[in-house]
């Protein structure tokens, strides 16, 4: 008996030391096993063979074992057996719960108005807390049921108001409270999915839940941006920042899956990479079986991969030595590992992310997910659920209209010499209140445009809302028409007005947000330059080039285009050189730039311009 006890203690010590040491310098890498797959691991051959496939290709620090999904609960004996196996491999082991009755049936959740369902939810939390000191609720701690019991419980409330209250209470009363009674040291973590702008409609309560859950987790899956959710690449970074700002210090990590791998190795690798650029402390590669079974194929190598790109299929697919074994990569796990290994070289050199502050009040919607499109045109976003007093510039989309004191806050920002940027979606909603600052109008009239004068032309025509203003009261910074040069009508793309010591800008958003990518480089350069006061520098170039700035004078520039691009980095101050964070190489300022202080000179005295070339789907990291 004593020998068994000593052996068990030694096993725990080894596992603890291994977990603390970790395989990476700057973050932890984890994976997650669904309940049905945990049950399959009762088969020793299945368990050992899948782990061999994964562990040979990617180093894993922690694994989360799910106890429940789709009304199925893992047998306790099997759960303990699997937990012990992974502890022997030196992994930290946590738990997981997915509160679904049937994912295939439109993600059917439990009905929290029904006593029997509430009791089941409670029992699952207690069972999981009994076996783990931390567990994560997968995406589905919401409610999408409209049965007669829910209709009766809702009464005269809106579905949103009813569900926000219902689920905030359910999390506290049915999950966190019962779990801590069983295991007082358990940490209960809620994982939020990627569709944050619609959370309130299904009961995800970002205002209350992060206060009583021990932590939260972030869904950074962007998959194919053209698929049903239309999630732009930038969301994989932006959503982590948003949740970080809601609950500083409680956001445990990002979570990616294999969606989008059909688009090529870059699409999956970019999701992993962008998650890490947010400085998240951990990433979950969802899920275990995808790492074991989603194959690497030659079709994942795209035509632009010539050996110079950041995500190199040939490097990922090449055989390698692990110990005295030669391994031939076979699955998604290797793509993840090579990406993470390369990120680990630069992440520790980056400070805290910064950007253009955008105010999104709790439970707000409107111009949904617009900040991700703006990020993809080179505006570094930093979303906050509260109004900030310490920023030189604030971006307000239609979401901000939920704040009934918004216009007074706008005035205060302008009076102290700050800038406010409002989108046409917000202008349309608050034009009467905003008239006390500037008399503007944005109604239902539209314009078709493709010509932006000296700032270039777009490759296609698209539709924008018409902004009306009083001549000489507000001024067009960027205009558009069809045509504009030699035409008869022009419409503002970027409009400015002054109020007290500050400047109000109106940014025109096309009816199809994707047409932001069609704005010519000259237009984007002007928009970026006017919205860079807090960051202190901006990029010039076409769309789908993204800037990630940090507070310690470092930044990353990334190209999401399918071809190489040239990009300028323009500082509002003198900078002697850029230092490449990967190889310590030096980049000097461009020598042929003309500086001046008149309206015809593109760059002012005191600015500094650097020129870069980025291969397709590639990034570079610099310090200055």
């Amino acid at each position: 008996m004593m020998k068994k006890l000593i052996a068990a203690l030694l096993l725990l010590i080894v596992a603890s030391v291994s977990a603390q040491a970790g395989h990476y310098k700057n973050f932890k890498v984890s994976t997650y096993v669904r309940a049905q797959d945990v049950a399959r691991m009762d088969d020793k051959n299945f368990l050992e063979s899948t782990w061999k496939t994964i562990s040979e290709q990617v180093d894993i620090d922690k694994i989360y074992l799910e106890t429940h999904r789709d009304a199925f609960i893992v047998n306790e004996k099997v759960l303990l057996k699997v937990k012990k196996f992974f502890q022997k491999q030196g992994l930290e082991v946590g738990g997981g719960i997915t509160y679904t009755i049937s994912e295939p049936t439109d993600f059917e959740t439990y009905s929290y108005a029904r006593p029997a369902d509430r009791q089941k939810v409670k029992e699952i939390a207690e069972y999981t807390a009994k076996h783990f000191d931390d567990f994560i609720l997968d995406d589905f701690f919401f409610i999408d049921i409209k049965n007669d019991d829910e209709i009766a419980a809702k009464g005269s409330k809106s579905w949103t108001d009813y569900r926000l209250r219902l689920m905030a209470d359910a999390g506290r009363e049915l999950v966190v409270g019962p779990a801590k009674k069983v295991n007082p040291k358990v940490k209960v973590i809620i994982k939020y999915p990627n569709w944050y702008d619609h959370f309130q409609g299904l009961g995800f309560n970002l205002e209350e839940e992060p206060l009583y859950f021990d932590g939260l987790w972030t869904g950074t899956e962007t998959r194919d941006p053209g698929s049903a959710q239309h999630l732009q690449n930038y969301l994989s970074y932006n959503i982590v920042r948003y949740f970080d700002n809601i609950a500083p210090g409680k956001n445990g990590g990002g979570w990616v899956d294999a969606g989008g791998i059909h688009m090529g190795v870059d699409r999956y690798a970019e999701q992993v990479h962008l998650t890490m650029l947010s400085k998240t402390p951990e990433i979950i590669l969802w899920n275990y079986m995808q790492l074991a079974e989603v194959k690497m194929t030659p079709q994942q190598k795209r035509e632009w991969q010539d050996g110079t790109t950041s995500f190199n299929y040939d490097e990922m697919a090449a055989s390698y030595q692990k110990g005295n074994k030669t391994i031939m990569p076979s699955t998604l796990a290797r793509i993840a590992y090579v990406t993470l290994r390369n990120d680990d070289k630069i992440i520790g050199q980056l400070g805290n992310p910064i950007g253009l502050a955008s105010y999104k009040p709790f439970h707000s919607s409107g111009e949904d997910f617009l900040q991700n499109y703006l990020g993809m045109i080179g505006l570094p976003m930093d979303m906050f659920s509260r109004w900030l007093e310490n920023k030189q510039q604030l971006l307000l989309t239609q979401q901000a209209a939920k704040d009934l004191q918004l216009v007074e806050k706008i005035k205060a920002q302008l009076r102290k010499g700050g800038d406010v940027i409002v989108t046409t979606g917000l202008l349309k909603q608050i034009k009467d209140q905003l008239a006390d600052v500037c008399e503007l109008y944005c109604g239902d009239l539209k314009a078709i445009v493709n010509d932006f004068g000296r700032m270039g032309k777009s490759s296609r025509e698209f539709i924008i809302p018409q902004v009306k203003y009083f001549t000489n009261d507000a001024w067009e910074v960027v205009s558009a028409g069809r045509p504009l040069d030699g035409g008869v009508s022009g419409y503002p793309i970027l409009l400015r007005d002054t109020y007290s010591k500050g400047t109000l800008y109106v940014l025109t958003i096309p009816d199809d947000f994707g047409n932001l990518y069609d704005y010519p480089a000259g237009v984007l350069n002007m928009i970026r330059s006017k919205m860079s006061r807090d960051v202190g520098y901006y990029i010039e170039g076409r769309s789908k080039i993204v800037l990630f700035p940090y507070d310690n004078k470092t930044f990353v520039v990334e190209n999401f285009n399918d071809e190489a691009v040239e990009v300028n980095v323009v500082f509002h101050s003198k900078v002697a050189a850029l230092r490449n964070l990967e190889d310590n190489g030096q980049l000097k300022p461009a020598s042929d730039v003309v500086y001046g202080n008149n309206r015809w000179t593109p760059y002012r005295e005191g600015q500094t311009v650097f020129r870069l070339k980025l291969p397709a789907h590639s990034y570079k990291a610099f310090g200055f």
Side-chain angles (χ1 to χ4, degrees):
M1 181 69 182
M2 182 59 70
K3 287 183 178 179
K4 288 184 178 179
L5 180 60
I6 293 171
L9 288 171
L10 287 173
L11 174 62
L12 288 173
I13 291 170
V14 169
S16 175
V17 170
S18 174
Q20 289 173 14
H23 294 97
Y24 307 86
K25 294 179 181 179
N26 298 293
F27 44 77
K28 184 184 296 183
V29 175
S30 305
T31 191
Y32 185 103
V33 191
R34 295 173 300 180
Q36 287 77 3
D37 296 320
V38 175
R40 293 170 68 193
M41 289 175 175
D42 192 30
D43 180 341
K44 182 180 178 182
N45 291 333
F46 173 78
L47 174 58
E48 292 181 348
S49 64
T50 52
W51 175 242
K52 180 176 183 290
T53 297
I54 293 170
S55 61
E56 287 181 342
Q57 296 182 91
V58 59
D59 291 329
I60 298 293
D61 299 306
K62 185 170 183 177
I63 194 163
Y64 296 84
L65 304 178
E66 191 174 76
T67 60
H68 171 277
R69 177 180 293 253
D70 282 9
F72 171 78
I73 297 176
V74 179
N75 174 274
E76 186 172 33
K77 182 179 178 181
V78 174
L79 183 66
L80 293 174
K81 173 184 174 180
V82 176
K83 178 182 177 182
K84 182 177 180 181
F85 171 83
F86 285 114
Q87 286 176 329
K88 284 184 177 180
Q89 312 312 311
L91 274 65
E92 294 181 62
V93 183
I97 300 173
T98 297
Y99 278 118
T100 51
I101 292 177
S102 174
E103 282 188 74
T105 311
D106 295 332
F107 299 137
E108 181 184 355
T109 66
Y110 282 90
S111 177
Y112 292 85
R114 289 180 168 171
D117 281 14
R118 292 175 66 86
Q119 180 62 25
K120 192 68 174 178
V121 167
K122 178 174 175 286
E123 290 172 358
I124 294 164
E126 292 169 336
Y127 175 65
T128 308
K130 176 183 175 183
H131 297 294
F132 300 100
D133 287 339
D134 67 317
F135 64 86
I136 293 178
L137 308 187
D138 193 3
D139 282 2
F140 301 94
F141 192 63
F142 60 77
I143 182 167
D144 56 6
I145 303 296
K146 292 182 179 177
N147 57 35
D148 290 343
D149 291 330
E150 297 292 343
I151 293 170
K154 179 182 84 73
S156 60
K157 296 178 182 176
S158 69
W159 280 108
T160 291
D161 288 344
Y162 165 67
R163 287 170 166 176
L164 282 171
R165 181 76 271 131
L166 178 73
M167 296 309 295
D169 292 342
R172 186 184 296 106
E173 298 166 3
L174 304 180
V175 182
V176 176
K180 288 185 181 292
K181 283 186 178 180
V182 171
N183 180 358
K185 63 182 179 181
V186 72
K187 293 183 177 179
V188 186
I189 302 160
I190 183 168
K191 184 247 176 175
Y192 290 117
N194 45 21
W195 36 275
Y196 61 88
D197 256 336
H198 300 160
F199 278 178
Q200 60 275 8
L202 284 88
F204 276 129
N205 193 322
L206 288 179
E207 187 172 12
E208 296 184 39
E209 289 169 351
L211 298 178
Y212 66 80
F213 276 99
D214 297 295
L216 56 95
W217 215 269
T218 305
T220 56
E221 317 96 318
T222 45
R223 309 183 184 111
D224 181 350
S227 63
Q229 291 180 307
H230 308 297
L231 301 175
Q232 304 305 291
N233 307 25
Y234 190 77
L235 178 139
S236 293
Y237 165 90
N238 187 41
I239 190 172
V240 180
R241 294 297 307 137
Y242 177 47
F243 292 157
D244 280 349
N245 292 330
I246 286 176
K250 295 186 77 170
N251 193 359
W255 173 307
V256 301
D257 63 25
I261 191 64
H262 65 282
M263 300 177 70
V265 67
D266 307 86
R267 185 73 284 273
Y268 175 71
E270 284 166 350
Q271 294 174 75
V272 173
H273 169 68
L274 292 177
T275 301
M276 304 325 296
L277 286 186
S278 71
K279 298 298 296 288
T280 187
E282 186 175 343
I283 185 171
I284 288 180
L285 305 173
W286 198 93
N287 64 62
Y288 181 91
M289 292 311 300
Q290 288 186 350
L291 294 178
E293 294 181 341
V294 176
K295 301 298 183 184
M296 287 186 69
T297 67
Q299 289 73 30
Q300 292 163 1
K301 179 179 180 179
R302 302 306 299 272
E303 57 275 11
W304 54 78
Q305 292 188 340
D306 57 1
T308 67
T309 57
S310 293
F311 309 111
N312 188 323
Y313 178 87
D314 291 339
E315 176 190 5
M316 295 170 178
S319 63
Y320 57 96
Q321 292 296 122
K322 191 157 190 175
N324 46 12
K325 288 182 63 177
T326 300
I327 309 295
M328 181 57 67
S330 59
T331 73
L332 189 73
R334 181 62 178 172
I335 301 173
Y337 178 69
V338 173
T339 304
L340 290 164
R341 182 192 65 196
N342 291 335
D343 281 338
D344 205 19
K345 297 173 184 176
I346 65 168
I347 294 299
Q349 302 178 69
L350 304 175
N352 298 312
I354 58 175
L356 172 61
S358 181
Y359 174 46
K360 173 179 162 48
F362 288 117
H363 318 317
S364 62
S365 60
E367 293 181 309
D368 294 346
F369 306 108
L370 175 60
Q371 287 91 344
N372 300 315
Y373 290 86
L374 297 177
M376 291 297 289
I377 63 169
L379 290 175
M381 292 285 102
D382 211 5
M383 294 168 55
F384 291 84
S385 56
R386 65 188 188 281
W387 183 269
L388 299 180
E389 304 283 353
N390 61 342
K391 297 294 182 180
Q392 297 183 75
Q393 294 185 306
L394 293 170
L395 169 70
L396 307 177
T397 72
Q398 192 176 4
Q399 299 159 340
K402 188 171 182 66
D403 185 341
L404 300 182
Q405 304 301 315
L406 182 65
V407 172
E408 290 307 310
K409 292 176 180 178
I410 289 174
K411 290 178 184 178
Q413 169 75 0
L414 295 171
R415 286 192 187 105
K416 68 181 184 183
D419 296 344
V420 176
I421 303 129
V422 303
T423 62
T424 40
L426 177 61
L427 173 60
K428 188 173 181 178
Q429 192 152 337
I430 66 165
K431 68 178 181 64
D432 291 338
Q433 303 95 303
L434 194 63
D436 201 34
V437 175
C438 182
E439 292 178 303
L440 299 161
Y441 178 78
C442 183
D444 296 326
L445 293 175
K446 308 291 184 181
I448 300 174
V449 300
N450 65 356
D451 185 359
F452 302 81
R454 62 185 178 86
M455 296 183 188
K457 292 185 177 181
S458 59
S459 60
R460 71 181 86 188
E461 298 178 339
F462 53 89
I463 299 171
I464 63 169
Q466 293 186 24
V467 177
K468 303 295 185 181
Y469 60 96
F470 289 133
T471 301
N472 291 338
D473 181 58
W475 302 82
E476 294 185 25
V477 181
V478 180
S479 306
R482 188 186 64 162
L484 182 63
D485 290 339
V488 294
S489 297
Y491 308 94
I493 296 298
L494 184 64
L495 190 75
R496 68 170 176 85
D497 188 30
T498 57
Y499 180 89
S500 185
K501 303 180 189 67
T503 302
L504 176 76
Y505 290 99
V506 177
L507 178 63
T508 297
I509 305 299
D511 282 16
D512 178 350
F513 296 169
N515 288 135
L516 286 165
Y517 305 155
D518 294 316
Y519 281 164
V523 173
L524 297 177
N525 295 344
M526 181 61 72
I527 292 171
R528 296 165 183 146
S529 70
K530 296 297 183 183
M531 300 181 189
S532 59
R533 286 182 64 185
D534 284 297
V535 172
Y537 52 96
Y538 62 96
I539 57 173
E540 292 185 326
R542 57 172 297 180
S543 63
K544 297 187 180 179
I545 306 170
V546 177
L547 175 65
F548 302 96
Y550 299 84
D551 66 357
N552 66 336
K553 295 187 176 182
T554 61
F555 65 91
V556 176
V557 183
E558 187 154 357
N559 174 22
F560 291 92
N561 291 283
D562 294 346
E563 57 275 332
V565 298
E566 293 185 353
V567 56
N568 292 341
V569 183
V570 183
F571 288 83
H572 296 309
S573 58
K574 288 294 186 183
V575 176
L578 300 182
R579 177 177 61 87
N580 190 304
L581 299 186
E582 294 179 278
D583 61 14
N584 283 319
Q586 296 283 309
L587 181 66
K588 295 294 185 181
S591 59
D592 59 348
V593 175
V594 177
Y595 299 96
N597 289 318
N598 61 68
R599 61 182 297 189
W600 309 114
T601 307
Y603 306 110
R604 299 190 318 275
E605 295 286 355
Q607 289 187 307
T608 313
V609 179
F610 295 88
R611 292 211 172 105
L612 315 173
K613 187 167 184 178
L614 288 172
H617 293 275
S618 294
Y619 63 88
K620 289 184 180 179
F622 294 97
F624 60 93

